[in-house]
């Protein structure tokens, strides 16, 4: 079927795209629910602190897939699937280079549609080829896709290894799929290619080329300004690699702009722990880099361990923040960009527009995104506020809901810390009583506006079964539920790194090894009383 035929296929999207909010009633079109990466679904009316407990809440069913699920599942309501009727649809991406569209409630349990990007001579990328044991045994789709609700398009970045005769090469491609059929749109897919001027590691004749083998996309895709933004770091710091950012036209898939955070150095990758870059209402894009040389104060172009503000159209650098100990962070493997940024809503006072970032260095930074402060030696007085983050720092991102800000460090047996956001500053409120072994996780919130907040987090990265936790979002020291309270009924699949659960329409979707486990109210009528 050609592109015009695919576009002519019927589909229905009852959605309205609103910056900073979910795309419409009961939908998840991007990682962490919105482009501010708040991590909060504020349209959940079924799950509350009163019914999320082991008596009323548990695992309902499991969706089996062909590979590991690192990407956060996405969700659209009332899609008209050709020949299959109208469904609320859950979209799942796997490391076996597959995209599944499931009925969100398991009716039917088989996929509504499924596409796989492999074919004869084309495989996923073996773990041995990338020399990294963190994503095993294959690397395909890792970063969370993004959906354009206006056009009914799902954008996904996939990696493959392709054999031609006796030789092999590696590719990364941006696909644009119709949400109702999985068919390619806009003459896609397109191969990811880029070249910039630079003398950095791996450069040739004064040019740095994008390497589809060494560049690993961990951060989620971002849709803003009519563009799809892609970012890269590495696999286990195996080089040479650079911190690439690219923008593609969302309607033509034409490459619009390219930025590289280390053109004359190396590394400075955008890791983000499977969270993503953010976009504000003015069209700026914010992201944090990991370890790498920082020489901007000496007239250089390398921005390791920095929070960057890029123009959304040109990807030119508008502003940046670098901690005073940026060289120490680089030397000690304390990536600022191990986590992703979060935009706070407008605040009263001198700094109305704030962005928060926390990495492996053990500090939470509040930055004025209108005047980010660049770099200054000796201290971080160019930040609006700095707060020590105990333990091994943050490897994912944070969550914001109703003046509350939630942070979980990567330390074994650490607790979730809850802050109150008041007049542009963070003040500690409480810490969860539960301790999390070997955690690399991003908290997320479901709520009905400013009421009935539930804070969710997954225990992961410990080679055991994932554990889903729920806390009262008003008082995160109060545990409501965990999936090991009734393991015979509720135990989740084997855990993976950095996974973020998706909460929507009374259900919680947990990505795991070769499956998605679905949780919800066991008896809605009883649980609602």
């Amino acid at each position: 079927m050609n592109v015009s035929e695919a576009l002519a296929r019927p589909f229905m999207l009852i959605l309205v795209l609103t910056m900073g909010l979910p795309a419409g009633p009961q939908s998840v079109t991007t990682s962490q629910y919105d482009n501010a990466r708040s991590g909060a679904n504020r349209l959940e009316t079924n799950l509350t602190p009163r019914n999320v407990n082991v008596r009323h809440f548990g695992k309902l069913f499991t969706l089996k897939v062909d590979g590991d699920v690192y990407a956060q599942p996405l969700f659209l309501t009332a899609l008209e699937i050709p020949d299959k009727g109208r469904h609320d649809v859950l979209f799942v991406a796997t490391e076996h280079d597959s995209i599944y569209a499931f009925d969100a409630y398991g009716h039917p349990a088989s996929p509504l549609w499924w596409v796989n990007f492999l074919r004869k001579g084309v495989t996923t990328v073996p773990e041995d080829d990338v020399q990294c044991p963190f994503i095993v045994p294959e690397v395909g789709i890792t970063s969370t896709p993004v959906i354009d609700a206006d056009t009914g398009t799902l954008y996904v970045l996939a990696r493959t290894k392709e054999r031609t005769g006796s030789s092999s090469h590696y590719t990364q491609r941006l696909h644009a799929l119709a949400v109702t059929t999985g068919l390619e749109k806009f003459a896609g897919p397109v191969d990811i290619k880029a070249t910039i001027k630079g003398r950095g590691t791996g450069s040739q004749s004064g040019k740095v080329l994008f390497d589809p083998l060494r560049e690993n996309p961990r951060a989620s895709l971002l849709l803003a300004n009519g563009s799809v933004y892609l970012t890269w770091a590495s696999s286990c710091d195996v080089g040479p690699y650079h911190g690439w950012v690219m923008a593609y036209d969302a309607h033509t898939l034409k490459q619009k702009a390219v930025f590289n955070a280390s053109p004359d150095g190396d590394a400075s990758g955008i890791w983000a722990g499977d969270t993503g870059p953010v976009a504000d209402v003015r069209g700026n894009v914010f992201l944090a880099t990991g370890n790498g040389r920082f020489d901007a104060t000496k007239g250089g172009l390398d921005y390791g361990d920095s929070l960057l503000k890029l123009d959304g159209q040109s990807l030119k650098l508008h502003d940046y923040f670098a901690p005073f100990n940026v060289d120490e962070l680089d030397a000690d493997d304390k990536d600022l960009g191990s986590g992703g940024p979060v935009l706070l809503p407008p605040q009263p006072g001198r700094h109305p527009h704030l962005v928060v970032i926390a990495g492996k260095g053990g500090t939470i930074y509040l930055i004025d995104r209108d005047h980010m402060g660049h770099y200054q030696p000796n201290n971080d007085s160019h930040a609006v506020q700095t707060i020590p983050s105990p333990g091994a720092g943050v490897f994912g991102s944070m969550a914001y809901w109703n003046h509350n800000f939630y942070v979980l460090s990567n330390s074994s047996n650490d607790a979730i810390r809850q802050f109150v956001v008041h007049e542009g500053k963070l003040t500690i409120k409480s810490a969860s009583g539960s301790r999390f072994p070997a955690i690399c996780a991003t908290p997320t919130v479901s709520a009905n506006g400013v009421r009935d907040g539930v804070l969710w987090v997954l225990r992961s990265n410990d080679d055991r079964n994932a554990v889903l936790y729920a806390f009262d979002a008003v008082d995160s020291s109060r545990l409501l539920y965990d999936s090991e309270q009734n393991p015979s009924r509720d135990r989740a699949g084997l855990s993976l790194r950095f996974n973020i659960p998706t909460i929507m329409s009374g259900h919680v979707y947990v990505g795991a090894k070769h499956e998605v486990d679905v949780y919800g109210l066991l008896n809605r009528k009883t649980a609602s009383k």
Side-chain angles (χ1 to χ4, degrees):
M1 179 175 291
N2 62 35
V3 174
S4 61
E5 289 174 329
L7 291 172
R9 296 297 294 266
F11 67 91
M12 181 178 293
L13 295 170
I14 305 178
L15 300 163
V16 178
L17 188 62
T18 304
M19 177 66 185
L21 292 172
Q26 306 299 306
S27 64
V28 183
T29 59
T30 192
S31 172
Q32 301 158 272
Y33 301 100
D34 51 52
N35 282 354
R37 309 302 186 191
S38 71
N41 165 22
R42 300 178 295 278
L43 298 174
E44 177 54 57
T45 59
N46 295 299
L47 301 176
T48 76
R50 295 176 298 281
N51 60 27
V52 176
N53 54 62
V54 72
R55 179 182 175 189
H56 295 131
F57 179 89
K59 188 165 75 170
L60 302 177
F61 59 94
T62 295
L63 299 169
K64 294 294 186 180
V65 293
D66 61 7
D68 295 347
V69 180
Y70 284 84
Q72 184 178 356
L74 303 178
F75 187 111
L76 290 178
T77 56
L79 285 186
E80 195 71 32
I81 306 298
D83 302 322
K84 295 185 179 179
R86 185 176 297 187
H87 296 263
D88 292 353
V89 178
L90 186 78
F91 299 92
V92 179
T94 79
E95 293 292 349
H96 196 62
D97 274 330
S98 288
I99 298 288
Y100 290 82
F102 286 105
D103 179 274
Y105 315 118
H107 306 294
S110 58
L112 300 170
W113 58 257
W114 164 74
V115 296
N116 180 263
F117 302 132
L118 308 179
R119 59 186 185 277
K120 185 177 180 179
V122 178
T123 67
T124 53
V125 181
E127 63 171 294
D128 289 344
D129 292 20
V130 299
Q131 303 174 43
C132 180
F134 289 164
I135 301 177
V136 296
E138 58 183 351
V139 182
I141 302 170
T142 304
S143 49
T144 299
V146 69
I147 294 173
D148 186 341
D150 288 345
T151 64
T153 309
L154 184 146
Y155 301 92
V156 59
L157 180 59
R159 300 183 62 178
T160 55
K161 179 180 182 180
E162 307 192 1
R163 179 171 294 278
T164 303
S166 60
S167 62
S168 296
H169 66 280
Y170 303 90
T171 65
Q172 297 192 30
R173 292 189 176 95
L174 176 62
H175 298 259
L177 307 180
V179 295
T180 53
T181 62
L183 295 173
E184 297 277 0
K185 299 177 62 173
F186 310 137
V190 295
D191 286 9
I192 304 298
K193 297 179 180 180
T195 304
I196 60 164
K197 294 181 180 179
R199 305 182 305 276
T201 303
S203 62
Q204 301 175 16
S205 303
K207 295 181 179 180
V208 179
L209 279 65
F210 177 82
D211 185 340
L213 172 61
R214 294 295 171 227
E215 297 293 335
N216 185 36
R218 289 300 307 238
S220 62
L221 278 60
L222 170 69
L223 176 66
N225 309 310
S227 299
V228 179
Y229 300 90
L230 313 174
T231 61
W232 288 267
S234 174
S235 303
C236 293
D237 272 326
V238 176
Y241 74 95
H242 297 268
W244 291 91
V245 185
M246 302 184 200
Y248 285 79
D249 188 288
H251 300 287
T252 66
L253 300 188
K254 180 180 179 180
Q255 189 180 87
K256 296 171 63 176
V258 175
F259 174 83
N260 189 300
S262 55
D264 297 324
D266 66 351
S268 303
I270 296 91
W271 302 89
D274 285 7
T275 64
V278 303
D280 67 13
V281 293
R282 299 177 182 176
N284 301 299
V285 174
F286 297 81
L287 48 85
T289 62
N291 297 327
R293 183 173 69 185
F294 174 80
D295 60 8
T297 58
K298 302 174 183 178
L301 299 173
D302 300 318
Y303 291 89
D305 290 306
S306 302
L307 179 64
L308 308 181
K309 177 181 180 179
L310 305 180
D311 175 82
Q313 297 297 334
S314 65
L315 292 184
K316 291 182 178 178
L317 183 70
H318 270 350
D319 204 352
Y320 74 90
F321 168 84
F324 82 96
N325 60 339
V326 62
D327 292 335
E328 179 184 333
L329 295 178
D330 178 30
D332 295 342
D333 189 23
K334 300 293 186 181
D335 306 61
L336 180 67
S338 64
V342 175
L343 300 186
L344 295 182
Q347 300 292 312
R350 295 173 50 206
H351 306 285
H353 304 129
L354 294 170
V355 56
V356 188
I357 186 68
K360 290 162 63 176
T363 301
I364 303 169
Y365 303 90
L366 271 73
I367 308 301
D368 184 334
R369 62 181 193 260
D370 297 327
H371 305 284
M372 296 179 68
H374 291 194
Y375 167 84
Q376 73 172 43
N378 305 320
N379 60 60
D380 282 324
S381 60
H382 52 317
V384 174
Q385 185 183 12
T386 59
I387 301 171
S389 176
V394 174
F395 279 63
S397 190
M398 301 144 287
Y400 172 86
W401 169 74
N402 192 28
H403 306 288
N404 293 282
F405 196 75
Y406 309 91
V407 182
L408 178 63
S409 83
N410 189 53
S411 294
S412 180
N413 292 320
D414 195 19
I416 296 174
R417 284 169 175 79
Q418 179 178 359
F419 296 85
V420 173
V421 181
H422 179 66
E423 295 187 349
K425 295 291 184 70
L426 298 183
T427 303
I428 189 70
K429 179 179 180 181
S430 66
S432 64
S434 297
R435 303 287 171 165
F436 301 90
I439 190 77
C440 285
T442 296
T444 188
V445 177
S446 64
N448 183 6
V450 298
R451 298 184 292 110
D452 293 334
V454 179
L455 177 66
W456 307 85
V457 67
L458 277 173
R459 187 185 76 186
S460 62
N461 187 29
D462 59 2
D463 298 319
R464 294 185 290 176
N465 293 84
V467 180
L468 176 66
Y469 292 87
F471 299 89
D472 186 336
V474 173
D475 179 5
S476 62
S477 67
R478 189 165 79 93
L479 176 68
L480 304 174
Y481 166 86
D482 78 60
S483 55
E484 286 297 299
Q485 291 171 340
N486 186 345
S488 62
R489 184 191 69 193
D490 295 348
R491 178 162 287 168
L494 292 176
S495 68
L496 300 169
R497 288 173 171 257
F498 306 117
N499 283 31
I500 305 173
T502 295
I503 302 91
M504 188 54 62
S505 191
H507 291 69
V508 181
Y509 300 92
V510 174
K513 197 168 186 64
H514 280 254
E515 67 187 56
V516 174
D517 296 302
V518 184
Y519 294 79
L521 298 178
L522 302 171
N523 185 323
R524 287 202 178 192
K525 191 173 293 186
T526 301
S528 63
K529 292 181 179 179

